[in-house]
Amino acid sequence: MPAALPWTRTKALQVAAVVLLLHSDQSGAADLARGRVIATRWCSECHVTGPGQQRGSDNVPTFSEINKSEKFDAARLSAFLSAPQHSRMPDLSLTRAEIADLAAYIKSQGH
Ligand code: HEC
């Protein structure tokens, strides 16, 4: 049945496109915009996460202050967020990709 061929090809292309999309989503470099969305959603309750935000909780460092700390980098953020029981922060169970995005976003603050 010759008519089946183009359909199969279209389908295969669609599948390939979806696979490609999923892949680029996971393996892409840290994404600032995604980091900001995560920060606004999960961190802004306590931290001042960006210039648009008026205030967070008292005695919680702003992201701009965190970025100014010389010790701050992605590895440190990852270690910090993976062991929240050592701080007053809740366990947010973020993925590595989310933490990388957050680190990129925090690094963009306060300059
Ligand atoms: C329920 C409140 C709360 C939420 C939500 C919260 N934090 Fe915090 N965070 C704190 C407090 C309080 C501190 C002060 C230091 C401590 O308790 O360890 C802190 C400290 C930090 C520090 C360490 C600063 C330093 O160098 O000492 C980082 C980094 C940080 N938070 C990142 C985040 C990120 C990223 C998110 C969102 C995914 C987040 N926090 C969500 C309360 C919160």
Side-chain angles (χ1 to χ4, degrees):
M1 186 161 78
L5 191 61
W7 186 87
T8 308
R9 251 187 95 192
T10 313
K11 197 79 188 163
L13 280 175
Q14 278 172 359
V15 169
V18 168
V19 168
L20 217 85
L21 267 176
L22 288 177
H23 241 263
S24 59
D25 195 35
Q26 305 237 310
S27 63
D31 185 322
L32 241 159
R34 271 199 314 242
R36 177 172 24 174
V37 171
I38 299 166
T40 307
R41 172 137 189 225
W42 297 108
C43 321
S44 65
E45 185 191 323
C46 307
H47 294 270
V48 170
T49 59
Q53 191 183 335
Q54 297 306 313
R55 60 174 312 217
S57 301
D58 292 339
N59 301 319
V60 176
T62 68
F63 277 13
S64 143
E65 283 162 1
I66 290 172
N67 186 37
K68 280 184 193 122
S69 151
E70 269 159 30
K71 291 173 291 180
F72 177 76
D73 62 21
R76 215 180 107 90
L77 180 68
S78 178
F80 181 77
L81 291 179
S82 308
Q85 63 273 21
H86 297 306
S87 82
R88 291 178 287 150
M89 287 198 13
D91 184 353
L92 294 161
S93 303
L94 298 162
T95 66
R96 293 167 68 120
E98 286 169 332
I99 291 174
D101 293 344
L102 270 171
Y105 174 69
I106 293 174
K107 272 182 197 275
S108 77
Q109 295 305 301
H111 284 296

Coordinates of all heavy atoms in Angstrom, one line a residue, residues 8-99:
T8 N 3.9 7.3 7.3 CA 4.9 6.8 8.2 C 6.0 7.7 8.4 O 6.5 8.0 9.5 CB 5.4 5.4 7.7 OG1 4.3 4.6 7.4 CG2 6.3 4.8 8.7
R9 N 6.4 8.3 7.3 CA 7.5 9.3 7.3 C 7.2 10.5 8.2 O 8.0 10.9 9.0 CB 7.9 9.7 5.9 CG 9.2 9.1 5.5 CD 9.6 9.7 4.2 NE 10.5 10.8 4.3 CZ 10.9 11.6 3.3 NH1 10.4 11.4 2.2 NH2 11.7 12.5 3.5
T10 N 6.0 11.0 7.9 CA 5.6 12.2 8.7 C 5.6 11.8 10.2 O 6.1 12.6 11.0 CB 4.1 12.6 8.3 OG1 4.0 12.6 6.9 CG2 3.8 13.9 8.9
K11 N 5.1 10.6 10.5 CA 5.0 10.2 11.9 C 6.4 10.1 12.5 O 6.7 10.6 13.6 CB 4.3 8.9 12.0 CG 3.8 8.5 13.3 CD 2.5 9.2 13.6 CE 2.1 9.0 15.1 NZ 1.1 10.0 15.5
A12 N 7.3 9.5 11.7 CA 8.7 9.4 12.2 C 9.3 10.7 12.4 O 10.0 11.0 13.4 CB 9.5 8.6 11.2
L13 N 9.0 11.7 11.5 CA 9.6 13.0 11.7 C 9.0 13.7 13.0 O 9.8 14.4 13.7 CB 9.3 13.9 10.5 CG 10.2 13.7 9.3 CD1 9.7 14.5 8.1 CD2 11.6 14.1 9.6
Q14 N 7.8 13.5 13.2 CA 7.2 14.0 14.4 C 7.8 13.5 15.7 O 8.2 14.2 16.6 CB 5.7 13.7 14.4 CG 4.8 14.7 13.6 CD 3.4 14.2 13.5 OE1 3.0 13.2 14.0 NE2 2.6 15.0 12.8
V15 N 8.0 12.2 15.7 CA 8.6 11.5 16.8 C 10.0 12.1 17.0 O 10.5 12.4 18.1 CB 8.7 10.0 16.6 CG1 9.6 9.4 17.7 CG2 7.3 9.4 16.7
A16 N 10.8 12.2 15.9 CA 12.1 12.8 16.0 C 12.1 14.2 16.5 O 13.0 14.5 17.3 CB 12.8 12.7 14.6
A17 N 11.1 15.0 16.1 CA 11.1 16.4 16.6 C 10.8 16.4 18.1 O 11.4 17.2 18.8 CB 10.0 17.1 15.8
V18 N 9.9 15.5 18.6 CA 9.6 15.5 20.0 C 10.9 15.1 20.8 O 11.2 15.7 21.8 CB 8.5 14.6 20.3 CG1 8.3 14.3 21.8 CG2 7.2 15.2 19.7
V19 N 11.5 14.1 20.3 CA 12.8 13.6 21.0 C 13.8 14.7 21.1 O 14.4 15.0 22.1 CB 13.3 12.4 20.3 CG1 14.8 12.1 20.8 CG2 12.4 11.1 20.5
L20 N 13.9 15.4 20.0 CA 14.9 16.5 19.9 C 14.5 17.6 20.9 O 15.4 18.2 21.6 CB 14.9 17.1 18.5 CG 16.2 17.6 18.0 CD1 16.9 16.3 17.4 CD2 16.1 18.6 16.9
L21 N 13.2 17.9 21.0 CA 12.8 19.0 21.9 C 13.0 18.6 23.3 O 13.6 19.4 24.1 CB 11.3 19.2 21.7 CG 10.8 20.3 20.7 CD1 9.3 20.3 20.6 CD2 11.3 21.6 21.2
L22 N 12.7 17.4 23.7 CA 12.9 16.9 25.0 C 14.4 17.0 25.4 O 14.7 17.4 26.5 CB 12.4 15.5 25.2 CG 10.9 15.3 25.2 CD1 10.5 13.9 25.3 CD2 10.2 16.1 26.4
H23 N 15.2 16.6 24.4 CA 16.6 16.6 24.7 C 17.2 17.9 24.9 O 17.9 18.2 25.9 CB 17.3 15.9 23.5 CG 18.0 14.7 23.8 ND1 19.4 14.7 24.1 CD2 17.6 13.4 24.0 CE1 19.7 13.5 24.4 NE2 18.7 12.7 24.4
S24 N 16.8 18.9 24.0 CA 17.4 20.2 24.2 C 16.9 20.8 25.5 O 17.6 21.6 26.1 CB 17.0 21.1 23.0 OG 15.6 21.2 22.9
D25 N 15.7 20.4 25.9 CA 15.2 21.0 27.2 C 16.1 20.5 28.4 O 16.3 21.3 29.3 CB 13.8 20.5 27.4 CG 13.1 21.3 28.4 OD1 13.4 22.5 28.5 OD2 12.3 20.8 29.2
Q26 N 16.5 19.3 28.3 CA 17.3 18.7 29.5 C 18.7 19.1 29.4 O 19.3 19.3 30.5 CB 17.1 17.2 29.4 CG 15.7 16.8 29.4 CD 15.4 15.9 30.6 OE1 16.1 14.9 30.8 NE2 14.3 16.2 31.3
S27 N 19.3 19.1 28.2 CA 20.8 19.2 28.2 C 21.3 20.6 28.0 O 22.4 20.9 27.9 CB 21.3 18.3 27.1 OG 20.9 18.7 25.9
G28 N 20.3 21.5 27.8 CA 20.7 22.9 27.5 C 21.5 23.5 28.7 O 21.4 23.0 29.8
A29 N 22.2 24.5 28.4 CA 23.0 25.2 29.4 C 22.0 25.9 30.4 O 20.8 26.0 30.1 CB 23.9 26.3 28.8
A30 N 22.6 26.3 31.5 CA 21.8 26.9 32.5 C 21.0 28.1 31.9 O 21.5 28.8 31.1 CB 22.6 27.4 33.7
D31 N 19.8 28.2 32.3 CA 18.9 29.2 31.7 C 18.4 30.2 32.7 O 17.7 29.9 33.6 CB 17.7 28.4 31.1 CG 16.8 29.3 30.3 OD1 16.5 30.4 30.7 OD2 16.2 28.8 29.3
L32 N 18.8 31.4 32.4 CA 18.5 32.6 33.3 C 17.0 32.8 33.5 O 16.6 33.0 34.6 CB 19.1 33.8 32.6 CG 20.1 34.6 33.4 CD1 21.0 35.4 32.4 CD2 19.4 35.4 34.4
A33 N 16.3 32.7 32.4 CA 14.9 33.0 32.4 C 14.2 31.9 33.3 O 13.3 32.2 34.1 CB 14.3 33.1 31.0
R34 N 14.6 30.7 33.1 CA 14.0 29.6 33.9 C 14.4 29.8 35.3 O 13.6 29.6 36.2 CB 14.5 28.2 33.4 CG 13.6 27.6 32.3 CD 13.8 26.1 32.2 NE 15.2 25.8 32.2 CZ 15.8 25.2 31.2 NH1 15.1 24.9 30.1 NH2 17.1 24.9 31.3
G35 N 15.6 30.2 35.6 CA 16.0 30.5 37.0 C 15.2 31.5 37.6 O 14.8 31.4 38.8
R36 N 14.8 32.5 36.9 CA 14.0 33.6 37.5 C 12.6 33.1 37.8 O 12.1 33.4 38.9 CB 13.9 34.8 36.5 CG 13.0 35.9 37.1 CD 13.0 37.1 36.3 NE 13.4 36.8 35.0 CZ 13.4 37.6 34.0 NH1 13.0 38.8 34.2 NH2 13.7 37.3 32.8
V37 N 12.1 32.2 37.0 CA 10.7 31.7 37.2 C 10.8 30.8 38.5 O 9.9 31.0 39.4 CB 10.2 30.8 36.0 CG1 9.0 30.1 36.4 CG2 10.0 31.7 34.8
I38 N 11.8 30.0 38.6 CA 12.0 29.2 39.8 C 12.2 30.0 41.1 O 11.6 29.8 42.1 CB 13.2 28.2 39.7 CG1 12.9 27.3 38.4 CG2 13.3 27.3 40.9 CD1 14.2 26.5 38.0
A39 N 13.0 31.0 40.9 CA 13.3 31.9 42.1 C 12.0 32.6 42.6 O 11.7 32.7 43.8 CB 14.3 32.9 41.7
T40 N 11.2 33.1 41.6 CA 10.0 33.8 42.0 C 9.0 32.9 42.6 O 8.4 33.2 43.6 CB 9.4 34.4 40.7 OG1 10.3 35.2 40.0 CG2 8.2 35.3 41.1
R41 N 9.0 31.7 42.1 CA 8.0 30.7 42.6 C 8.4 30.2 44.0 O 7.6 30.0 44.9 CB 7.9 29.6 41.6 CG 7.0 28.5 42.1 CD 6.1 28.0 41.0 NE 5.2 27.1 41.5 CZ 4.9 25.9 40.9 NH1 5.4 25.7 39.8 NH2 4.0 25.1 41.5
W42 N 9.7 29.8 44.1 CA 10.1 29.0 45.3 C 10.9 29.8 46.3 O 11.1 29.3 47.4 CB 10.9 27.8 44.9 CG 10.1 26.8 44.1 CD1 10.2 26.6 42.7 CD2 9.0 26.0 44.5 NE1 9.3 25.7 42.3 CE2 8.5 25.3 43.4 CE3 8.4 25.8 45.7 CZ2 7.5 24.4 43.4 CZ3 7.3 24.9 45.8 CH2 6.9 24.3 44.7
C43 N 11.5 30.9 46.0 CA 12.5 31.6 46.9 C 12.0 32.9 47.3 O 12.4 33.4 48.4 CB 13.8 31.7 46.2 SG 14.3 30.3 45.2
S44 N 11.0 33.5 46.6 CA 10.7 34.9 46.9 C 9.8 35.1 48.1 O 9.6 36.2 48.6 CB 10.0 35.5 45.6 OG 8.7 34.9 45.5
E45 N 9.3 34.0 48.6 CA 8.6 34.1 49.9 C 9.5 34.6 51.0 O 9.1 35.3 51.9 CB 8.1 32.7 50.2 CG 7.2 32.6 51.4 CD 7.0 31.1 51.8 OE1 6.9 30.3 50.9 OE2 6.9 30.9 53.0
C46 N 10.8 34.3 51.0 CA 11.7 34.7 52.0 C 12.8 35.6 51.5 O 13.2 36.5 52.2 CB 12.4 33.4 52.6 SG 11.2 32.2 53.2
H47 N 13.3 35.3 50.3 CA 14.4 36.1 49.7 C 13.9 37.2 48.8 O 12.9 37.0 48.1 CB 15.4 35.3 48.9 CG 16.1 34.2 49.7 ND1 17.3 34.5 50.2 CD2 15.8 33.0 50.0 CE1 17.8 33.4 50.9 NE2 16.8 32.4 50.7
V48 N 14.5 38.4 48.8 CA 14.3 39.3 47.7 C 15.1 38.8 46.6 O 16.3 38.7 46.6 CB 14.7 40.7 48.1 CG1 14.7 41.7 46.9 CG2 13.9 41.3 49.2
T49 N 14.4 38.4 45.5 CA 15.1 37.7 44.4 C 15.5 38.6 43.3 O 16.2 38.2 42.4 CB 14.2 36.5 43.9 OG1 13.0 37.1 43.4 CG2 13.9 35.5 44.9
G50 N 14.9 39.8 43.2 CA 15.2 40.7 42.1 C 14.8 42.1 42.3 O 14.1 42.3 43.3
P51 N 15.2 43.0 41.5 CA 14.9 44.4 41.7 C 13.4 44.7 41.8 O 13.0 45.7 42.4 CB 15.5 45.1 40.5 CG 16.3 44.0 39.7 CD 15.9 42.7 40.2
G52 N 12.6 43.9 41.1 CA 11.2 44.2 41.1 C 10.5 43.9 42.4 O 9.3 44.3 42.7
Q53 N 11.2 43.2 43.3 CA 10.5 42.7 44.5 C 10.8 43.6 45.7 O 11.9 44.0 45.9 CB 11.0 41.3 44.8 CG 10.2 40.6 45.9 CD 10.8 39.2 46.3 OE1 11.5 38.6 45.5 NE2 10.5 38.8 47.5
Q54 N 9.8 44.1 46.4 CA 9.9 45.0 47.4 C 10.5 44.5 48.7 O 11.5 45.0 49.2 CB 8.6 45.7 47.8 CG 7.9 46.4 46.7 CD 8.9 47.5 46.1 OE1 9.5 48.2 46.9 NE2 9.0 47.6 44.8
R55 N 10.0 43.4 49.2 CA 10.6 42.8 50.4 C 10.4 41.3 50.5 O 9.4 40.8 50.1 CB 10.1 43.5 51.6 CG 8.7 43.5 51.8 CD 8.3 44.1 53.2 NE 9.2 43.6 54.2 CZ 8.8 43.4 55.4 NH1 7.6 43.6 55.8 NH2 9.6 42.9 56.3
G56 N 11.3 40.6 51.3 CA 11.1 39.2 51.6 C 11.0 39.2 53.1 O 10.5 40.1 53.8
S57 N 11.5 38.1 53.7 CA 11.5 38.0 55.2 C 12.6 38.8 55.8 O 13.6 39.0 55.1 CB 11.6 36.5 55.6 OG 10.6 35.7 55.1
D58 N 12.5 39.1 57.0 CA 13.6 39.8 57.7 C 14.7 38.9 57.9 O 14.6 37.7 58.1 CB 13.1 40.3 59.1 CG 12.0 41.4 59.0 OD1 12.0 42.1 57.9 OD2 11.3 41.6 59.9
N59 N 15.9 39.4 57.9 CA 17.1 38.7 58.2 C 17.4 37.5 57.2 O 18.0 36.5 57.5 CB 17.1 38.1 59.6 CG 17.0 39.1 60.6 OD1 17.6 40.2 60.5 ND2 16.2 38.9 61.6
V60 N 16.9 37.6 56.0 CA 17.2 36.7 54.9 C 18.0 37.4 53.9 O 17.5 38.5 53.4 CB 15.9 36.1 54.3 CG1 16.2 35.1 53.2 CG2 15.1 35.3 55.4
P61 N 19.1 36.9 53.5 CA 19.9 37.6 52.5 C 19.2 37.8 51.1 O 18.5 36.8 50.7 CB 21.2 36.8 52.3 CG 20.8 35.4 52.8 CD 19.8 35.6 53.9
T62 N 19.3 38.9 50.5 CA 18.7 39.0 49.1 C 19.6 38.3 48.1 O 20.8 38.0 48.4 CB 18.6 40.5 48.7 OG1 20.0 41.0 48.5 CG2 17.9 41.3 49.7
F63 N 19.1 38.0 47.0 CA 19.9 37.3 46.0 C 21.1 38.1 45.5 O 22.2 37.6 45.2 CB 19.1 36.9 44.8 CG 18.3 35.6 45.0 CD1 18.3 35.0 46.3 CD2 17.7 34.9 44.0 CE1 17.6 33.8 46.5 CE2 17.1 33.7 44.2 CZ 17.0 33.1 45.5
S64 N 20.9 39.4 45.5 CA 22.0 40.3 45.2 C 23.1 40.2 46.2 O 24.3 40.2 45.9 CB 21.4 41.7 45.0 OG 22.3 42.7 45.4
E65 N 22.7 40.1 47.5 CA 23.7 40.0 48.6 C 24.4 38.6 48.5 O 25.6 38.5 48.6 CB 23.1 40.1 49.9 CG 22.7 41.5 50.3 CD 21.7 41.6 51.5 OE1 21.3 40.6 52.0 OE2 21.4 42.7 51.9
I66 N 23.6 37.6 48.2 CA 24.2 36.3 48.1 C 25.2 36.3 46.9 O 26.3 35.7 47.0 CB 23.1 35.2 47.8 CG1 22.3 35.0 49.0 CG2 23.7 33.9 47.3 CD1 21.0 34.2 48.9
N67 N 24.9 36.9 45.8 CA 25.8 37.0 44.7 C 27.1 37.7 45.0 O 28.1 37.4 44.4 CB 25.1 37.6 43.5 CG 25.9 37.5 42.2 OD1 26.6 36.6 42.0 ND2 25.9 38.6 41.4
K68 N 27.0 38.7 45.9 CA 28.2 39.5 46.2 C 29.2 38.7 47.1 O 30.4 39.0 47.2 CB 27.8 40.8 46.9 CG 27.4 41.8 45.9 CD 27.1 43.1 46.6 CE 26.3 44.0 45.6 NZ 25.0 44.5 46.2
S69 N 28.7 37.6 47.7 CA 29.5 36.8 48.6 C 30.5 36.1 47.6 O 30.2 35.5 46.7 CB 28.7 35.8 49.3 OG 29.5 34.6 49.6
E70 N 31.8 36.2 48.0 CA 32.8 35.6 47.2 C 32.7 34.1 47.1 O 33.2 33.5 46.1 CB 34.2 36.0 47.7 CG 34.7 37.3 47.0 CD 35.8 38.0 47.8 OE1 36.5 37.2 48.5 OE2 35.8 39.2 47.8
K71 N 32.1 33.5 48.1 CA 32.0 32.1 48.1 C 31.0 31.5 47.2 O 30.9 30.3 46.9 CB 31.7 31.6 49.5 CG 32.9 31.9 50.5 CD 32.4 31.6 51.9 CE 31.4 32.6 52.4 NZ 30.9 32.4 53.8
F72 N 30.1 32.4 46.6 CA 29.0 31.9 45.9 C 29.3 31.4 44.5 O 30.0 32.0 43.7 CB 27.9 33.0 45.7 CG 26.7 32.5 44.9 CD1 25.8 31.6 45.5 CD2 26.6 32.9 43.6 CE1 24.8 31.1 44.7 CE2 25.6 32.4 42.8 CZ 24.7 31.5 43.4
D73 N 28.9 30.1 44.2 CA 29.0 29.6 42.9 C 28.0 28.4 42.7 O 27.3 28.1 43.7 CB 30.4 29.2 42.4 CG 30.9 28.1 43.3 OD1 30.2 27.4 44.0 OD2 32.2 27.9 43.4
A74 N 27.9 27.9 41.6 CA 26.9 26.8 41.3 C 27.1 25.6 42.2 O 26.1 25.1 42.8 CB 26.9 26.4 39.9
A75 N 28.3 25.2 42.4 CA 28.6 24.0 43.2 C 28.2 24.3 44.7 O 27.6 23.4 45.3 CB 30.1 23.7 43.2
R76 N 28.5 25.5 45.2 CA 28.1 25.8 46.5 C 26.6 25.9 46.7 O 26.0 25.4 47.7 CB 28.7 27.1 46.9 CG 29.1 27.2 48.4 CD 29.8 28.5 48.7 NE 28.8 29.3 49.5 CZ 28.8 29.3 50.8 NH1 29.7 28.6 51.5 NH2 27.9 30.1 51.5
L77 N 25.9 26.5 45.7 CA 24.5 26.5 45.8 C 23.9 25.1 45.8 O 22.9 24.9 46.6 CB 23.9 27.3 44.6 CG 22.4 27.5 44.6 CD1 21.9 28.4 45.7 CD2 21.9 28.0 43.3
S78 N 24.4 24.3 45.0 CA 23.9 22.9 44.9 C 24.1 22.2 46.2 O 23.2 21.5 46.7 CB 24.7 22.2 43.8 OG 24.3 20.9 43.7
A79 N 25.3 22.3 46.8 CA 25.5 21.7 48.1 C 24.6 22.3 49.2 O 24.0 21.5 50.0 CB 27.0 21.9 48.5
F80 N 24.4 23.6 49.1 CA 23.6 24.2 50.1 C 22.1 23.8 50.0 O 21.5 23.4 51.0 CB 23.7 25.7 49.9 CG 22.9 26.5 50.9 CD1 23.3 26.7 52.2 CD2 21.7 27.1 50.5 CE1 22.5 27.4 53.1 CE2 20.9 27.8 51.4 CZ 21.3 28.0 52.7
L81 N 21.6 23.7 48.8 CA 20.2 23.4 48.6 C 20.0 21.9 48.8 O 18.9 21.4 49.0 CB 19.7 23.8 47.2 CG 19.6 25.3 47.0 CD1 19.1 25.6 45.6 CD2 18.7 25.9 48.0
S82 N 21.0 21.1 48.7 CA 20.9 19.6 48.9 C 20.9 19.3 50.4 O 20.6 18.2 50.8 CB 22.0 18.9 48.2 OG 22.1 19.3 46.9
A83 N 21.4 20.2 51.2 CA 21.4 19.9 52.6 C 20.7 21.0 53.5 O 21.3 21.6 54.3 CB 22.9 19.8 53.1
P84 N 19.4 21.2 53.1 CA 18.7 22.3 53.8 C 18.5 22.1 55.3 O 18.2 23.0 56.0 CB 17.4 22.4 53.0 CG 17.2 21.0 52.5 CD 18.6 20.4 52.3
Q85 N 18.7 20.9 55.7 CA 18.5 20.6 57.2 C 19.5 21.4 58.0 O 19.3 21.5 59.2 CB 18.5 19.1 57.5 CG 19.8 18.4 57.2 CD 19.9 17.9 55.8 OE1 19.2 18.4 54.9 NE2 20.7 16.9 55.6
H86 N 20.5 21.9 57.4 CA 21.5 22.6 58.2 C 21.2 24.1 58.2 O 22.0 24.9 58.7 CB 22.9 22.5 57.6 CG 23.4 21.1 57.6 ND1 23.4 20.3 58.7 CD2 23.8 20.3 56.6 CE1 23.9 19.1 58.5 NE2 24.1 19.0 57.2
S87 N 20.1 24.5 57.7 CA 19.7 25.9 57.8 C 18.3 26.1 58.1 O 17.5 25.1 58.3 CB 20.1 26.6 56.4 OG 19.0 26.3 55.5
R88 N 17.8 27.3 58.0 CA 16.4 27.6 58.3 C 15.6 27.5 57.0 O 14.4 27.8 57.0 CB 16.3 29.0 58.9 CG 16.8 29.1 60.3 CD 16.7 30.5 60.8 NE 17.7 31.4 60.1 CZ 17.5 32.7 59.9 NH1 16.4 33.3 60.2 NH2 18.4 33.4 59.3
M89 N 16.3 27.0 55.9 CA 15.5 26.9 54.7 C 14.8 25.6 54.5 O 15.3 24.6 55.0 CB 16.5 27.1 53.5 CG 16.9 28.5 53.4 SD 17.6 28.9 51.8 CE 17.3 27.6 50.7
P90 N 13.7 25.6 53.8 CA 12.9 24.3 53.7 C 13.6 23.5 52.6 O 14.4 24.0 51.8 CB 11.6 24.8 53.1 CG 11.9 26.1 52.5 CD 13.0 26.7 53.2
D91 N 13.3 22.2 52.6 CA 13.8 21.3 51.6 C 12.9 21.4 50.3 O 11.8 21.0 50.3 CB 13.7 19.8 52.1 CG 14.3 18.9 51.1 OD1 14.7 19.3 50.0 OD2 14.5 17.7 51.5
L92 N 13.5 22.0 49.3 CA 12.7 22.3 48.1 C 12.8 21.2 47.0 O 12.1 21.3 46.0 CB 13.1 23.6 47.5 CG 12.8 24.8 48.5 CD1 13.6 26.0 48.1 CD2 11.3 25.1 48.5
S93 N 13.7 20.2 47.2 CA 13.8 19.1 46.3 C 13.9 19.6 44.8 O 13.1 19.1 44.0 CB 12.6 18.1 46.4 OG 12.5 17.7 47.7
L94 N 14.9 20.4 44.5 CA 15.1 20.9 43.2 C 16.0 19.9 42.4 O 16.8 19.3 43.0 CB 15.7 22.3 43.2 CG 14.9 23.3 43.9 CD1 15.7 24.5 44.3 CD2 13.7 23.8 43.0
T95 N 15.8 19.9 41.1 CA 16.6 19.0 40.3 C 18.0 19.8 40.0 O 18.1 21.0 40.2 CB 16.0 18.7 38.9 OG1 15.9 20.0 38.2 CG2 14.6 18.1 39.1
R96 N 19.0 19.0 39.5 CA 20.2 19.7 39.2 C 20.1 20.8 38.2 O 20.7 21.8 38.3 CB 21.2 18.6 38.7 CG 21.6 17.6 39.8 CD 22.3 16.4 39.1 NE 23.6 16.9 38.6 CZ 24.7 16.3 39.1 NH1 24.7 15.4 40.0 NH2 25.9 16.7 38.6
A97 N 19.2 20.5 37.2 CA 19.0 21.5 36.1 C 18.4 22.8 36.7 O 18.8 23.9 36.4 CB 18.1 20.9 35.0
E98 N 17.5 22.6 37.6 CA 16.8 23.7 38.3 C 17.8 24.5 39.1 O 17.8 25.8 39.1 CB 15.6 23.3 39.1 CG 14.4 22.9 38.3 CD 13.4 22.2 39.2 OE1 13.7 21.5 40.2 OE2 12.2 22.3 38.8
I99 N 18.7 23.8 39.8 CA 19.7 24.5 40.6 C 20.7 25.2 39.7 O 21.1 26.4 40.0 CB 20.4 23.5 41.5 CG1 19.4 23.0 42.6 CG2 21.6 24.1 42.2 CD1 20.0 21.9 43.5

